[in-house]
Amino acid sequence: MTSCRTLASLLLSGGIAFASAAHAAGITVHDARNRDVTVADFARTVSIGGAITEILYALGLESRLVGVDTTSLYPAAALHDKPNVGYMRQISAEGVLGLNPTLILAIQGSGPRETMDILETAQVPLVLVPETFSEEGLIAKIKLVGHAMGVDARAECLSAAVGADLAQLRALRAKVTKPVRVMFVMSLQNGRAMVAGHKTAADEIIQLAGAANAVDDYDGYKTIGDEAIVAAKPDVVLSIERGKESLQADAVYTHPGFALTPVAANKSFITMDGLYLLGFGPRTAAAARDLSVKLYPALAAGGAFTSALSTANCRQ
């Protein structure tokens, strides 16, 4: 009962905060729910999703942030300086509304569903940011976040810089003559590999790097057995750094399935920072470039990747 009263109080206070800014003309944002959301005040924003937080910092809007989620690992100051509302798929409605936000920006796929339902009924604008793993989807994400925050010009600046980096990446990718087969492995549990198929961030980053996903017969993530691993014939295993839970190279090379593939024969295992590799934020082109030169070392001789993002000033 106490929890219900607390939540009701938070919903009310959030409504009052939003009402106080309702005199503003407001900005209309069309979000991932195919809904138009009116944003009248973005002075107290909660960001749920590492890519959203990274975009907000790149746009110089960190002073408007009153809370972030645990996937907001870049820049490091985000989690260090801002209240933590939890993991994006296990968000607490009270934790978010307790920060008295005037705007909630949440990446598509945030949850759980019960929490999102509560946030949608609160009198605080909730913008669900589409998560489309593509070059176009990345640019659209930046522009939508910038528009929701009332900084369209800054968002255009950031989009142009990211677009320039993606153009450099396309030129690099064009030099690849024989794509290697990459299998993204999230984990090995009880001897079975959890791997990425199509319509995933891993699948797209592999393609952006000029490689081919060795898994091409299903969408999303799936646990597969030894026979499927051998049949896929991966040249390289790609994974992410997850602290103590990180997949280790030796575990891959000695696995019964991978031991019969070029992965073990060539000792081809790559691991990279998770948000950097799969976040689909402003640094995605650089991450794909880094992966590309790991897969094709000869490409590194073609000259340095001069990131337009590193020299652009889109913060004012």
Side-chain angles (χ1 to χ4, degrees):
M1 181 65 71
T2 300
S3 177
C4 292
R5 288 172 179 168
T6 302
L7 183 56
S9 175
L10 292 171
L11 289 169
L12 179 59
S13 65
I16 292 172
F18 178 58
S20 67
H23 65 277
I27 295 169
T28 299
V29 182
H30 195 75
D31 76 353
R33 299 164 298 179
N34 200 29
R35 299 181 186 178
D36 287 332
V37 181
T38 300
V39 179
D41 184 358
F42 29 66
R44 297 184 59 80
T45 299
V46 170
S47 172
I48 302 173
I52 296 176
T53 301
E54 187 172 337
I55 291 168
L56 291 171
Y57 271 81
L59 295 174
L61 302 176
E62 59 269 29
S63 64
R64 301 184 190 178
L65 274 175
V66 295
V68 299
D69 77 311
T70 58
T71 69
S72 299
L73 299 171
Y74 185 87
L79 270 176
H80 182 270
D81 298 344
K82 307 295 181 180
N84 181 352
V85 299
Y87 176 53
M88 59 166 284
R89 301 192 192 281
Q90 298 175 347
I91 296 297
S92 160
E94 290 187 11
V96 173
L97 296 173
L99 297 173
N100 195 26
T102 55
L103 172 63
I104 303 167
L105 294 175
I107 198 70
Q108 189 175 13
S110 298
R113 181 67 260 176
E114 294 79 4
T115 293
M116 302 310 291
D117 287 343
I118 293 172
L119 294 179
E120 286 186 14
T121 59
Q123 296 182 55
V124 180
L126 168 65
V127 174
L128 201 62
V129 180
E131 184 72 291
T132 303
F133 302 121
S134 66
E135 294 185 24
E136 297 80 8
L138 171 56
I139 297 299
K141 182 191 298 182
I142 292 170
K143 290 183 177 181
L144 186 146
V145 170
H147 182 58
M149 299 296 287
V151 291
D152 291 286
R154 297 191 201 182
E156 286 294 338
C157 170
L158 184 59
S159 297
V162 171
D165 285 355
L166 289 170
Q168 284 193 70
L169 180 63
R170 285 193 294 273
L172 185 72
R173 194 164 61 238
K175 299 176 182 178
V176 176
T177 56
K178 184 180 179 182
V180 299
R181 295 175 61 80
V182 178
M183 180 178 286
F184 179 84
V185 180
M186 179 64 75
S187 63
L188 278 176
Q189 295 184 349
N190 300 319
R192 293 173 66 82
M194 175 69 75
V195 303
H198 293 309
K199 296 183 179 180
T200 60
D203 177 67
E204 181 64 20
I205 203 74
I206 287 169
Q207 294 184 58
L208 286 176
N213 191 346
V215 178
D216 58 5
D217 56 352
Y218 63 84
D219 297 340
Y221 285 85
K222 182 179 179 180
T223 301
I224 63 174
D226 296 352
E227 291 185 4
I229 291 172
V230 175
K233 299 178 181 178
D235 298 306
V236 178
V237 161
L238 173 65
S239 192
I240 58 172
E241 298 164 2
R242 304 171 66 193
K244 294 181 180 179
E245 297 181 1
S246 297
L247 184 61
Q248 301 299 316
D250 287 345
V252 173
Y253 302 150
T254 59
H255 184 276
F258 290 111
L260 300 176
T261 70
V263 169
N266 300 324
K267 296 293 188 288
S268 302
F269 176 77
I270 297 171
T271 182
M272 295 175 64
D273 175 78
L275 180 62
Y276 185 53
L277 183 69
L278 304 180
F280 272 77
R283 298 175 298 154
T284 288
R289 185 269 177 189
D290 288 352
L291 175 58
S292 188
V293 296
K294 289 176 184 291
L295 295 171
Y296 312 103
L299 293 180
F305 181 91
T306 306
S307 173
L309 182 63
S310 65
T311 57
N313 180 11
C314 304
R315 294 174 53 84
Q316 54 187 358

